[in-house]
Amino acid sequence: SYRPLRLKGFTLAEVIITVGIVGILSSIALPNYFRQIKRTHQAEANATMSQMMATVAAFTDEFGTEPTRWVDLNAMTTLMTNKGPAVINDGELTTAITLPGERYELKRIDNTNESKYYIFEAIATNEAASDFNVIACINLKTGTSDQIIGRKDEAADIDSLNCQRSK
């Protein structure tokens, strides 16, 4: 008695439907996942910015002078770049340094040279994450500081900072 061998498996229609469902779910989930990754990287830059701003204030209090170079901040705490602690070759605060992970560049962006007033910006090195910037200001005369993070489709703007320049 001969019995034909029946293979167990999925039909072509079942496979196509399954692939379609997975594709739809992926098209919904992946953009949110990638946006969350950008926000995580931004949070890291935000934390570095907060530490660096406190270091600027501590340096000024401790030494009675303002820091002008990235390496100056190492006198208070180690400022890490993508190549290790900040060194003399990293230059002035207005020269961009790349943060660890190479996802953000940080620099002082105010060019007023106003004493005891700083505005810093961390910009994503990935063009697709350019709205996820971080800007911060600190006024050492008045003690005010502010920090703003950019959001999807709306980069942080200097005009939104709440540090008042002293008169």
Side-chain angles (χ1 to χ4, degrees), residues 3 16 42 74 86-87 113 117 129-132 143-144 148 150 158 162 165:
R3 291 179 39 189
I16 289 173
Q42 182 188 39
N74 284 338
V87 294
N113 293 325
Y117 186 79
S130 62
D131 287 341
F132 290 89
T144 58
I148 300 173
I158 294 172
N162 289 322
R165 294 180 189 266

Side-chain angles (χ1 to χ4, degrees), residues 3-9:
R3 291 179 39 189
L5 180 64
R6 266 199 101 174
L7 299 175
K8 295 180 182 179

Side-chain angles (χ1 to χ4, degrees), residues 5-160:
L5 180 64
R6 266 199 101 174
L7 299 175
K8 295 180 182 179
F10 298 105
T11 66
L12 181 59
E14 291 171 329
V15 170
I16 289 173
I17 290 171
T18 303
V19 168
I21 290 171
V22 169
I24 290 169
L25 292 175
S26 295
S27 70
I28 294 169
L30 285 177
N32 290 331
Y33 171 75
F34 290 126
R35 192 169 29 259
Q36 187 59 41
I37 293 292
K38 290 176 190 173
R39 281 193 290 222
T40 301
H41 295 163
Q42 182 188 39
E44 184 179 359
N46 192 33
T48 299
M49 179 91 75
S50 293
Q51 176 192 3
M52 193 257 325
M53 300 258 298
T55 302
V56 167
F59 182 92
T60 304
D61 287 344
E62 181 72 23
F63 297 105
T65 185
E66 297 179 56
T68 58
R69 301 170 301 157
W70 293 111
V71 72
D72 293 345
L73 300 179
N74 284 338
M76 301 308 298
T77 186
T78 303
L79 176 65
M80 294 300 291
T81 70
N82 63 325
K83 296 176 182 171
V87 294
I88 289 180
N89 291 343
D90 289 326
E92 305 288 317
L93 296 177
T94 53
T95 303
I97 58 169
T98 303
L99 298 179
E102 301 185 359
R103 296 181 191 102
Y104 276 83
E105 289 185 342
L106 175 65
K107 69 178 179 176
R108 182 178 181 181
I109 58 172
D110 62 320
N111 56 5
T112 62
N113 293 325
E114 184 175 333
S115 177
K116 300 191 180 211
Y117 186 79
Y118 296 81
I119 299 175
F120 290 96
E121 183 172 30
I123 301 174
T125 56
N126 177 359
E127 187 69 31
S130 62
D131 287 341
F132 290 89
N133 67 333
V134 180
I135 59 171
C137 62
I138 185 167
N139 186 332
L140 299 173
K141 288 182 181 176
T142 63
T144 58
S145 66
D146 194 14
Q147 198 161 334
I148 300 173
I149 60 172
R151 305 207 184 281
K152 180 184 174 228
D153 300 327
E154 185 181 346
D157 186 3
I158 294 172
D159 295 332
S160 302

